[in-house]
Amino acid sequence: MSGVSDSNPGSRSSTRVKICGVTRSADRDAAVVAGADAVGVICDVPVDTPREVDEETAADLLDGVPPLVTGVLVTMPDNVDDAVELAQALGPDAVQVHGGLSPSELAALGRRLSQDIVVAVDADADDVGAYADAADALLVDSVDAEGGGGTGETHDWERTRDIVDDLDVPVILAGGLTPDNVAEAVETVRPFGVDVATGVERVNDAGDRVGGEKDHEGVREFVSNATREVTTA
Ligand SMILES: O=C(O)c1ccccc1N[C@@H]1O[C@H](COP(=O)(O)O)[C@@H](O)[C@H]1O
């Protein structure tokens, strides 16, 4: 039987945590203080999302990510040249690609950039292995029809667990994660890392989620619950 240990509440598992879709420096800093390993900034995506920022804001947000935390550019390029140009302009530590680039285009992107490439794939896709070969890490998400993320929807975690078991590449679990479900998700999937956007957004007095604004307590809870040491008794 397994469970979350309370014998050493100060210990944390090795699960990496990325807080994505940060649009404000205060939210970026709150993620860092909470212990996030990576902060994602979304720029140049064709989907309508409150988490997208313009290039100047993206550059400022990424520039303020401190040493030992990974600043990730999240983008949906039309082609390799556009992705190279944006990454070179913004200077992130890593680039997360959603959308239509093929495995060979991703491999070409990786050859032209010094940064690690994280590719977002749908958990149900049948060509996940080809993407894994072309990138440095796989982000298994519940993507929308255009390949974008931020859906707030979970997928079949057992399927992602199979991907973790079958492929020799770091797998980051995303899609509908929240402070309430992330511990179970980590226990089920055993991913290299977890990634959240909508699940840690602020809720206003009317009970509506405010897209693009993080709930700092939610961010703290998410990191804590994602990284609690799990023991097998
Ligand atoms: O968040 C977005 O709006 C977005 C738009 C385009 C590409 C990626 C996007 N977000 C990524 O999707 C995952 C999962 O989001 P959620 O937790 O289900 O809301 C998120 O971590 C981002 O990497």
Side-chain angles (χ1 to χ4, degrees), residues 17-18 57-58 84 94 151-152 220 222:
V17 181
K18 171 166 162 268
T57 306
V84 170
T151 62
R220 268 192 295 276
F222 187 89

Side-chain angles (χ1 to χ4, degrees), residues 4-56:
V4 175
S5 168
D6 59 2
S7 60
N8 183 6
S11 69
R12 61 172 282 180
S13 73
S14 59
T15 309
R16 273 61 166 195
V17 181
K18 171 166 162 268
I19 303 296
C20 198
V22 162
T23 65
R24 308 182 303 176
S25 57
D27 294 348
R28 173 201 62 206
D29 296 346
V32 170
V33 168
D37 300 282
V39 177
V41 176
I42 299 174
C43 186
D44 198 15
V45 295
V47 295
D48 185 19
T49 168
R51 288 169 290 284
E52 181 178 22
V53 295
D54 61 31
E55 284 191 36
E56 191 182 346

Side-chain angles (χ1 to χ4, degrees), residues 204-225:
N204 66 18
D205 292 342
D208 300 319
R209 192 167 46 75
V210 183
E213 294 188 19
K214 297 305 187 207
D215 167 20
H216 296 185
E217 183 54 31
V219 169
R220 268 192 295 276
E221 270 181 54
F222 187 89
V223 174
S224 171
N225 293 347

